[in-house]
C-alpha cells in the first residue's frame, strides 16, 4: 500500500497539469454575465478535472503522512562507504508525465486510455521500485543517491533524503522497499 501512495504522490504534477487542461469553467466579462451555477460546474464535462483534484488531495495527504512517518523511529545510523548522486533519474518520470498530457480527455475512449495507462504505470513503478524517481520529490527538496554503507544489508541501495549526503556521513534510514530507503543525517 505504501508503494501505491508513493505512486500517487509522484503524479501530483500530472494531476495539476490535468486540471489545467481539462477544467471547463466559462469566463465572461460582459455586463450581463451571470454565474452558471454549481450544477453546471460539477457536470460530467469536469469529471476528469475533479477526479484529478481528488487525486492531488490524496497525494498531499500521503505526503504529510509520509513526512510524519519519517519523523518517527528510524533504524540505527550507518556510515556511507560509497555514494553516487543520481538526481538525473527524476527526468525519466517527468517526461512520462508530460507526454500523458497530450491525450484527448474529451472522449470516453481518451479517459479509459488514460486510466488504463495510469494503472499500467503504477504496476510497473511498483514492480520495478522506480517510484523513487519522483519529480515531486525533487520539487520538495529531496535528493536521490545510490549508496553502499558499512552495513552489509545496505549495499547498492537507493537513498532518498532531504539532506546532502557525502562519503563518510552517518545516516538513519527507513526501509521503503527492498531497494529503496529514506534517510536522514544522524
Amino acid at each position: 500500500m505504501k508503494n501505491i501512495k508513493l505512486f500517487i504522490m509522484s503524479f501530483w504534477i500530472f494531476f495539476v497539469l490535468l486540471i489545467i487542461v481539462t477544467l471547463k469553467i466559462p469566463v465572461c466579462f460582459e455586463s450581463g454575465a451571470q454565474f452558471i451555477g454549481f450544477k453546471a460546474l460539477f457536470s460530467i464535462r469536469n469529471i476528469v478535472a475533479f477526479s484529478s483534484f481528488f487525486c492531488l488531495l490524496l497525494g498531499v495527504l500521503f505526503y504529510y503522512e509520509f513526512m510524519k512517518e519519517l519523523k518517527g523511529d528510524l533504524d540505527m545510523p550507518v556510515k556511507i562507504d560509497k555514494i553516487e548522486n543520481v538526481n538525473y533519474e527524476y527526468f525519466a518520470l517527468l517526461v512520462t508525465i508530460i507526454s500523458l498530457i497530450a491525450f484527448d480527455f474529451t472522449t470516453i475512449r481518451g479517459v479509459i486510455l488514460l486510466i488504463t495507462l495510469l494503472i499500467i504505470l503504477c504496476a510497473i513503478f511498483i514492480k520495478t521500485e522506480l517510484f523513487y524517481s519522483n519529480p515531486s520529490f525533487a520539487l520538495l527538496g529531496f535528493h536521490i543517491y545510490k549508496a553502499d554503507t558499512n552495513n552489509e544489508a545496505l549495499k547498492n541501495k537507493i537513498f532518498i533524503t532531504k539532506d546532502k549526503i557525502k562519503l563518510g556521513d552517518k545516516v538513519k534510514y527507513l526501509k521503503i522497499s527492498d531497494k529503496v530507503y529514506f534517510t536522514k543525517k544522524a
Side-chain angles (χ1 to χ4, degrees):
M1 184 64 170
K2 186 182 289 187
N3 294 346
I4 291 173
K5 289 178 180 181
L6 287 169
F7 177 78
I8 291 171
M9 282 172 42
S10 68
F11 268 71
W12 75 266
I13 295 170
F14 172 70
F15 296 131
V16 167
L17 294 174
L18 200 54
I19 291 167
I20 292 168
V21 168
T22 61
L23 188 62
K24 293 179 179 32
I25 298 176
V27 178
C28 180
F29 296 107
E30 300 293 321
S31 61
Q34 295 180 351
F35 179 59
I36 63 169
F38 287 107
K39 187 175 182 181
L41 284 178
F42 292 105
S43 68
I44 192 75
R45 68 184 184 163
N46 280 325
I47 193 74
V48 173
F50 287 116
S51 298
S52 297
F53 184 72
F54 176 73
C55 290
L56 178 62
L57 289 178
L58 276 178
V60 170
L61 174 73
F62 295 156
Y63 172 74
Y64 283 108
E65 182 182 290
F66 187 68
M67 292 308 293
K68 185 178 177 184
E69 189 176 333
L70 286 179
K71 289 181 182 176
D73 290 334
L74 301 177
D75 287 331
M76 295 300 292
V78 292
K79 182 179 165 216
I80 301 294
D81 289 339
K82 179 181 170 188
I83 193 158
E84 175 188 359
N85 185 326
V86 289
N87 280 331
Y88 60 85
E89 293 195 18
Y90 286 132
F91 289 107
L93 182 57
L94 187 59
V95 170
T96 303
I97 289 171
I98 291 171
S99 66
L100 290 175
I101 294 300
F103 281 70
D104 179 11
F105 302 110
T106 60
T107 66
I108 296 294
R109 181 178 290 200
V111 172
I112 291 170
L113 182 60
L114 171 68
I115 291 168
T116 304
L117 280 173
L118 285 175
I119 291 169
I120 291 168
L121 281 173
C122 183
I124 290 170
F125 275 61
I126 289 170
K127 285 201 176 286
T128 60
E129 299 181 352
L130 284 175
F131 50 81
Y132 69 84
S133 63
N134 176 342
S136 303
F137 287 148
L139 291 175
L140 296 169
F142 286 92
H143 305 280
I144 304 173
Y145 297 98
K146 186 179 282 187
D148 290 345
T149 70
N150 61 339
N151 181 335
E152 196 59 41
L154 295 174
K155 299 284 185 195
N156 198 30
K157 301 296 182 187
I158 299 295
F159 288 172
I160 301 173
T161 182
K162 281 199 167 199
D163 301 319
K164 297 258 183 176
I165 299 176
K166 60 185 184 307
L167 195 62
D169 283 347
K170 290 191 176 206
V171 296
K172 292 182 174 187
Y173 59 92
L174 174 69
K175 183 177 181 177
I176 301 300
S177 69
D178 290 338
K179 181 170 106 173
V180 182
Y181 294 79
F182 276 89
T183 61
K184 286 171 51 173
K185 278 189 177 179

